[in-house]
Amino acid sequence: MSKAEAFQALTIETLPARLGSVDALTSRIGKDSSHWKVKEVGDGNLNLVFIVTGDKGAAIVKQALPYVRLVGESWPLPLKRSFFEYHALVRQEARAGVGTVPAIYHFDEAQALIVMEFLTPHIILRRALIEGRMPPKIANDLGLFVARTLFRGSDLSMTARGRKEDLALFADNVELCDISENLVFTDPYYEAKLNRHTSPQLDALVEQMRSHTELKVEAQRLKHLFATKAETLVHGDLHTGSIMVTDDDTRVIDPEFAFYGPMAFDVGMLMANFWMSFFSQRGHEREGSRAAQRDWLLGVIVEIWETFRVEFERLWHSERNGMLYSRSVFEDQGDDAGSSAALIGLISQMEEDMLGFAGVEIHRRILGLAHNADFENIEDTDSRAACEARALQFATSIIINAKFSMSLEDAVTLARDCDDGRLPLDSDEGHSQ
Amino acid sequence: MSKAEAFQALTIETLPARLGSVDALTSRIGKDSSHWKVKEVGDGNLNLVFIVTGDKGAAIVKQALPYVRLVGESWPLPLKRSFFEYHALVRQEARAGVGTVPAIYHFDEAQALIVMEFLTPHIILRRALIEGRMPPKIANDLGLFVARTLFRGSDLSMTARGRKEDLALFADNVELCDISENLVFTDPYYEAKLNRHTSPQLDALVEQMRSHTELKVEAQRLKHLFATKAETLVHGDLHTGSIMVTDDDTRVIDPEFAFYGPMAFDVGMLMANFWMSFFSQRGHEREGSRAAQRDWLLGVIVEIWETFRVEFERLWHSERNGMLYSRSVFEDQGDDAGSSAALIGLISQMEEDMLGFAGVEIHRRILGLAHNADFENIEDTDSRAACEARALQFATSIIINAKFSMSLEDAVTLARDCDDGRLPLDSDEGHSQ
């Protein structure tokens, strides 16, 4: 398929003919494309995803569509997101290591398609968590992934020119950033058209939140950070649905929202999705207690943060070769204390921002357009609403308290309290109706 | 001169022949280029600047050189800075109004030259201040200039795509940002090769500063903000040498350091240069007291900030059509209080950052490579050192205290105290030797 050809969406029928001459694919799955089996498995909101199986093996073909798949052609979305996904995957693999993202076999910019490794027997982490599974390596793997990608994509590590060129490259990812800017940071805080929430159970709480001035100001301040704090190449959509796992392996997928943003954004979104899993567990207890799963999830959150900090600190000392926090004014003068103080300041700022981003992510997954299966799969709406209300109130509290030096550990304690019905706000109208 | 021609530096002799067919120039100063008078007046560190006078009038021709003029060919610097200067001037004129920057007649990218309005009888503001003049309009003009350029170049006003495209365009201004990143934020805080300071008078104080861990951490944190807080198109070099004045007119020139950075940077650098003028005044008192000038300078600082705030607030209410601090969650819900609270938060954050940037700018102008005539013109080195020491200690104090809610008014009071010999630090070794 030549790059000059106009974009055409693949179908199960046309795929073998159209990709049958791509060596990067045929060399892996087999040359005889007439024998290929093609299955469309895209369950996401945006793209086509095919599993293509030949005599020798299988691969994934992911193709962007010029609109949002979930909504249809009325919501156009540029094919170029595939370009950003490809470039982000390449950088993430270089920064976090081979085997942290799917291997890339082929990229066709004009057709907006990426041929990549078929991960098996991996499943989506969100599904694993809903099923009550506890993949043992995820906290460590994810902590390392975020520390390495965020550190190595920043001015702490890159050359000034390198980072600025990348910043300019990804600055063109306007439409996907726009989705986050509006759907994540704005829509949940007023009656936006695309919103939905569990009603009427949450109505009163939602109304309360939308008239909570301090909360809205904080959410908008976080949007300001998101849009302007161009620290590093972030994944941009790092929730548990963007992670595939086995007991032995963890892969981060789908970085099409990648852009230069705040370091704390990926970490915050990740934490938020573990917290949402935590708050959803009581809704999944029909087949037995999820107490152990709940404990484990809070432990994962603590371990991710701890792993992140330790690895970030290691990189700070061993790979801080960029222009920020110059060694010339610290270590080179024998001022190791200065270097450590600067690191502590930076991490403490990240902790603050991270809690804020986590809170906003929780809000938007319960009040906005894109909901999480963690809650959605709870069939009993009263039970779901109770879980959601606890999560919403927890989220409000961490957003408000983040700037008053709440620590991640405080937040974990608070999550436990909220889940046990000891809510942080003086009113619990939201879930008692 | 065709754009395709290879770059060639202009000389007094070649300029008329080379620019004699540029209509934008000849229509203003006269077609008969053989009668043009050409004078080279570049007193800056980087570029060639010619005044070209013909039968009908005069114009400025500014041409970049592929190296730092002050240093020579051993320090190469890309011609492209002329491109950034041109694009910044166009945006500043659109945002702050015709007559706030020199009018642009012609831009030749390949020759890195800009033909622009000859400002007369304007003089450089720094020179006016050294001479003890008090141009009456500057505080108001400069307050409006920064408010309008900073607000209208940000996501508060621009479309998301518009700002991101501009961010990408200016991200290529790497080398000039690099100068600021190193010369402003790093070099002053260790014994960098290019540094110089009034010695031996300041030696002890300088040593004290370079072992002041908290100060260095703050300076590096400010560098981090400078490099990553991509809020708006800043001028990037807004000192009193980049401003030309008469009693009736104020023009901002030389924006070749323009890039997407923190709103507070331009304001901080501007304030720093007025504070340096303030602290230098005692060194210029041989011909009479400068007490009135000192009072006036502090008044200018207060008035710039007040004008900035009032204008920024006006724009917030009347032109906030960008994606930040969406009206949809505030005014559209009748929550005007939320909008005001968000504005107060934003301005208060700018005030903090501004004081930090101001402090760093003062330090680097006394300890780094590029010094200010305000101090340099004080011939008596003891007197100069005394002025500089007061400024240095003031600057350290505002850097450290900015994050503890020091206000601009507090800083102005502190400046008065420092200038009167009531220093903020427990040691004054620096200037008593």
PDB file of all heavy atoms in Angstrom, chain B residues 128-147:
ATOM      1  N   ALA B 128      17.293  57.206  29.610  1.00  0.00           N
ATOM      2  CA  ALA B 128      16.489  58.274  30.224  1.00  0.00           C
ATOM      3  C   ALA B 128      16.513  58.154  31.745  1.00  0.00           C
ATOM      4  O   ALA B 128      16.682  59.154  32.453  1.00  0.00           O
ATOM      5  CB  ALA B 128      15.057  58.195  29.701  1.00  0.00           C
ATOM      6  N   LEU B 129      16.399  56.929  32.237  1.00  0.00           N
ATOM      7  CA  LEU B 129      16.359  56.733  33.697  1.00  0.00           C
ATOM      8  C   LEU B 129      17.706  57.057  34.327  1.00  0.00           C
ATOM      9  O   LEU B 129      17.771  57.629  35.414  1.00  0.00           O
ATOM     10  CB  LEU B 129      15.932  55.304  34.028  1.00  0.00           C
ATOM     11  CG  LEU B 129      14.556  54.857  33.505  1.00  0.00           C
ATOM     12  CD1 LEU B 129      14.276  53.411  33.909  1.00  0.00           C
ATOM     13  CD2 LEU B 129      13.442  55.783  33.991  1.00  0.00           C
ATOM     14  N   ILE B 130      18.780  56.696  33.641  1.00  0.00           N
ATOM     15  CA  ILE B 130      20.115  56.990  34.161  1.00  0.00           C
ATOM     16  C   ILE B 130      20.331  58.502  34.221  1.00  0.00           C
ATOM     17  O   ILE B 130      20.922  59.034  35.155  1.00  0.00           O
ATOM     18  CB  ILE B 130      21.205  56.316  33.289  1.00  0.00           C
ATOM     19  CG1 ILE B 130      21.130  54.799  33.447  1.00  0.00           C
ATOM     20  CG2 ILE B 130      22.599  56.844  33.653  1.00  0.00           C
ATOM     21  CD1 ILE B 130      21.979  54.015  32.463  1.00  0.00           C
ATOM     22  N   GLU B 131      19.773  59.188  33.227  1.00  0.00           N
ATOM     23  CA  GLU B 131      19.914  60.650  33.201  1.00  0.00           C
ATOM     24  C   GLU B 131      19.002  61.347  34.202  1.00  0.00           C
ATOM     25  O   GLU B 131      19.025  62.569  34.314  1.00  0.00           O
ATOM     26  CB  GLU B 131      19.614  61.170  31.790  1.00  0.00           C
ATOM     27  CG  GLU B 131      20.706  60.810  30.794  1.00  0.00           C
ATOM     28  CD  GLU B 131      20.294  61.141  29.351  1.00  0.00           C
ATOM     29  OE1 GLU B 131      19.183  61.672  29.151  1.00  0.00           O
ATOM     30  OE2 GLU B 131      21.099  60.849  28.434  1.00  0.00           O
ATOM     31  N   GLY B 132      18.181  60.563  34.877  1.00  0.00           N
ATOM     32  CA  GLY B 132      17.312  61.160  35.885  1.00  0.00           C
ATOM     33  C   GLY B 132      15.993  61.674  35.327  1.00  0.00           C
ATOM     34  O   GLY B 132      15.273  62.417  35.983  1.00  0.00           O
ATOM     35  N   ARG B 133      15.664  61.250  34.120  1.00  0.00           N
ATOM     36  CA  ARG B 133      14.388  61.687  33.537  1.00  0.00           C
ATOM     37  C   ARG B 133      13.241  60.798  34.025  1.00  0.00           C
ATOM     38  O   ARG B 133      13.454  59.667  34.452  1.00  0.00           O
ATOM     39  CB  ARG B 133      14.495  61.663  32.010  1.00  0.00           C
ATOM     40  CG  ARG B 133      15.448  62.761  31.536  1.00  0.00           C
ATOM     41  CD  ARG B 133      15.906  62.555  30.113  1.00  0.00           C
ATOM     42  NE  ARG B 133      14.808  62.677  29.155  1.00  0.00           N
ATOM     43  CZ  ARG B 133      14.988  62.786  27.846  1.00  0.00           C
ATOM     44  NH1 ARG B 133      16.228  62.797  27.333  1.00  0.00           N
ATOM     45  NH2 ARG B 133      13.956  62.872  27.039  1.00  0.00           N
ATOM     46  N   MET B 134      12.054  61.363  33.969  1.00  0.00           N
ATOM     47  CA  MET B 134      10.868  60.623  34.432  1.00  0.00           C
ATOM     48  C   MET B 134       9.771  60.673  33.378  1.00  0.00           C
ATOM     49  O   MET B 134       8.782  61.403  33.533  1.00  0.00           O
ATOM     50  CB  MET B 134      10.364  61.225  35.751  1.00  0.00           C
ATOM     51  CG  MET B 134      11.432  61.265  36.847  1.00  0.00           C
ATOM     52  SD  MET B 134      10.790  61.955  38.399  1.00  0.00           S
ATOM     53  CE  MET B 134      12.118  63.095  38.844  1.00  0.00           C
ATOM     54  N   PRO B 135       9.914  59.903  32.308  1.00  0.00           N
ATOM     55  CA  PRO B 135       8.909  59.942  31.234  1.00  0.00           C
ATOM     56  C   PRO B 135       7.526  59.635  31.825  1.00  0.00           C
ATOM     57  O   PRO B 135       7.340  58.582  32.432  1.00  0.00           O
ATOM     58  CB  PRO B 135       9.353  58.832  30.272  1.00  0.00           C
ATOM     59  CG  PRO B 135      10.770  58.529  30.639  1.00  0.00           C
ATOM     60  CD  PRO B 135      10.956  58.914  32.062  1.00  0.00           C
ATOM     61  N   PRO B 136       6.596  60.542  31.657  1.00  0.00           N
ATOM     62  CA  PRO B 136       5.360  60.454  32.441  1.00  0.00           C
ATOM     63  C   PRO B 136       4.419  59.315  32.064  1.00  0.00           C
ATOM     64  O   PRO B 136       3.612  58.901  32.887  1.00  0.00           O
ATOM     65  CB  PRO B 136       4.678  61.814  32.181  1.00  0.00           C
ATOM     66  CG  PRO B 136       5.248  62.289  30.881  1.00  0.00           C
ATOM     67  CD  PRO B 136       6.646  61.766  30.824  1.00  0.00           C
ATOM     68  N   LYS B 137       4.521  58.818  30.826  1.00  0.00           N
ATOM     69  CA  LYS B 137       3.494  57.854  30.391  1.00  0.00           C
ATOM     70  C   LYS B 137       3.904  56.392  30.536  1.00  0.00           C
ATOM     71  O   LYS B 137       3.104  55.497  30.282  1.00  0.00           O
ATOM     72  CB  LYS B 137       3.119  58.122  28.924  1.00  0.00           C
ATOM     73  CG  LYS B 137       2.274  59.379  28.733  1.00  0.00           C
ATOM     74  CD  LYS B 137       1.861  59.510  27.274  1.00  0.00           C
ATOM     75  CE  LYS B 137       0.780  58.532  26.850  1.00  0.00           C
ATOM     76  NZ  LYS B 137       1.120  57.659  25.757  1.00  0.00           N
ATOM     77  N   ILE B 138       5.143  56.150  30.908  1.00  0.00           N
ATOM     78  CA  ILE B 138       5.626  54.769  30.758  1.00  0.00           C
ATOM     79  C   ILE B 138       4.871  53.741  31.595  1.00  0.00           C
ATOM     80  O   ILE B 138       4.619  52.654  31.136  1.00  0.00           O
ATOM     81  CB  ILE B 138       7.144  54.632  31.034  1.00  0.00           C
ATOM     82  CG1 ILE B 138       7.501  55.183  32.396  1.00  0.00           C
ATOM     83  CG2 ILE B 138       7.958  55.270  29.937  1.00  0.00           C
ATOM     84  CD1 ILE B 138       8.902  54.782  32.820  1.00  0.00           C
ATOM     85  N   ALA B 139       4.533  54.079  32.821  1.00  0.00           N
ATOM     86  CA  ALA B 139       3.905  53.062  33.673  1.00  0.00           C
ATOM     87  C   ALA B 139       2.595  52.599  33.047  1.00  0.00           C
ATOM     88  O   ALA B 139       2.337  51.399  32.915  1.00  0.00           O
ATOM     89  CB  ALA B 139       3.674  53.606  35.074  1.00  0.00           C
ATOM     90  N   ASN B 140       1.794  53.546  32.653  1.00  0.00           N
ATOM     91  CA  ASN B 140       0.514  53.198  32.053  1.00  0.00           C
ATOM     92  C   ASN B 140       0.706  52.445  30.729  1.00  0.00           C
ATOM     93  O   ASN B 140       0.096  51.402  30.496  1.00  0.00           O
ATOM     94  CB  ASN B 140      -0.309  54.467  31.836  1.00  0.00           C
ATOM     95  CG  ASN B 140      -1.722  54.151  31.393  1.00  0.00           C
ATOM     96  OD1 ASN B 140      -2.476  53.528  32.124  1.00  0.00           O
ATOM     97  ND2 ASN B 140      -2.065  54.546  30.177  1.00  0.00           N
ATOM     98  N   ASP B 141       1.580  52.976  29.874  1.00  0.00           N
ATOM     99  CA  ASP B 141       1.795  52.338  28.567  1.00  0.00           C
ATOM    100  C   ASP B 141       2.326  50.915  28.718  1.00  0.00           C
ATOM    101  O   ASP B 141       1.890  49.991  28.026  1.00  0.00           O
ATOM    102  CB  ASP B 141       2.795  53.147  27.724  1.00  0.00           C
ATOM    103  CG  ASP B 141       2.188  54.458  27.212  1.00  0.00           C
ATOM    104  OD1 ASP B 141       0.961  54.634  27.323  1.00  0.00           O
ATOM    105  OD2 ASP B 141       2.963  55.311  26.713  1.00  0.00           O
ATOM    106  N   LEU B 142       3.287  50.729  29.618  1.00  0.00           N
ATOM    107  CA  LEU B 142       3.888  49.404  29.754  1.00  0.00           C
ATOM    108  C   LEU B 142       2.942  48.425  30.458  1.00  0.00           C
ATOM    109  O   LEU B 142       2.879  47.245  30.102  1.00  0.00           O
ATOM    110  CB  LEU B 142       5.221  49.503  30.502  1.00  0.00           C
ATOM    111  CG  LEU B 142       6.324  50.234  29.720  1.00  0.00           C
ATOM    112  CD1 LEU B 142       7.525  50.512  30.622  1.00  0.00           C
ATOM    113  CD2 LEU B 142       6.747  49.432  28.487  1.00  0.00           C
ATOM    114  N   GLY B 143       2.203  48.913  31.413  1.00  0.00           N
ATOM    115  CA  GLY B 143       1.208  48.056  32.073  1.00  0.00           C
ATOM    116  C   GLY B 143       0.185  47.536  31.079  1.00  0.00           C
ATOM    117  O   GLY B 143      -0.162  46.351  31.064  1.00  0.00           O
ATOM    118  N   LEU B 144      -0.282  48.433  30.209  1.00  0.00           N
ATOM    119  CA  LEU B 144      -1.244  48.019  29.181  1.00  0.00           C
ATOM    120  C   LEU B 144      -0.584  47.065  28.184  1.00  0.00           C
ATOM    121  O   LEU B 144      -1.192  46.074  27.766  1.00  0.00           O
ATOM    122  CB  LEU B 144      -1.792  49.239  28.430  1.00  0.00           C
ATOM    123  CG  LEU B 144      -2.679  50.204  29.225  1.00  0.00           C
ATOM    124  CD1 LEU B 144      -3.110  51.366  28.345  1.00  0.00           C
ATOM    125  CD2 LEU B 144      -3.903  49.470  29.782  1.00  0.00           C
ATOM    126  N   PHE B 145       0.651  47.369  27.806  1.00  0.00           N
ATOM    127  CA  PHE B 145       1.336  46.529  26.825  1.00  0.00           C
ATOM    128  C   PHE B 145       1.457  45.085  27.319  1.00  0.00           C
ATOM    129  O   PHE B 145       1.127  44.135  26.614  1.00  0.00           O
ATOM    130  CB  PHE B 145       2.734  47.082  26.511  1.00  0.00           C
ATOM    131  CG  PHE B 145       3.488  46.271  25.497  1.00  0.00           C
ATOM    132  CD1 PHE B 145       3.294  46.487  24.137  1.00  0.00           C
ATOM    133  CD2 PHE B 145       4.374  45.274  25.887  1.00  0.00           C
ATOM    134  CE1 PHE B 145       3.973  45.725  23.183  1.00  0.00           C
ATOM    135  CE2 PHE B 145       5.057  44.507  24.948  1.00  0.00           C
ATOM    136  CZ  PHE B 145       4.856  44.738  23.593  1.00  0.00           C
ATOM    137  N   VAL B 146       1.930  44.918  28.535  1.00  0.00           N
ATOM    138  CA  VAL B 146       2.087  43.542  29.023  1.00  0.00           C
ATOM    139  C   VAL B 146       0.726  42.870  29.218  1.00  0.00           C
ATOM    140  O   VAL B 146       0.536  41.719  28.822  1.00  0.00           O
ATOM    141  CB  VAL B 146       2.981  43.434  30.292  1.00  0.00           C
ATOM    142  CG1 VAL B 146       4.447  43.566  29.919  1.00  0.00           C
ATOM    143  CG2 VAL B 146       2.619  44.441  31.368  1.00  0.00           C
ATOM    144  N   ALA B 147      -0.221  43.575  29.770  1.00  0.00           N
ATOM    145  CA  ALA B 147      -1.538  42.947  29.971  1.00  0.00           C
ATOM    146  C   ALA B 147      -2.110  42.462  28.643  1.00  0.00           C
ATOM    147  O   ALA B 147      -2.579  41.329  28.524  1.00  0.00           O
ATOM    148  CB  ALA B 147      -2.501  43.929  30.635  1.00  0.00           C
TER     149      ALA B 147
END
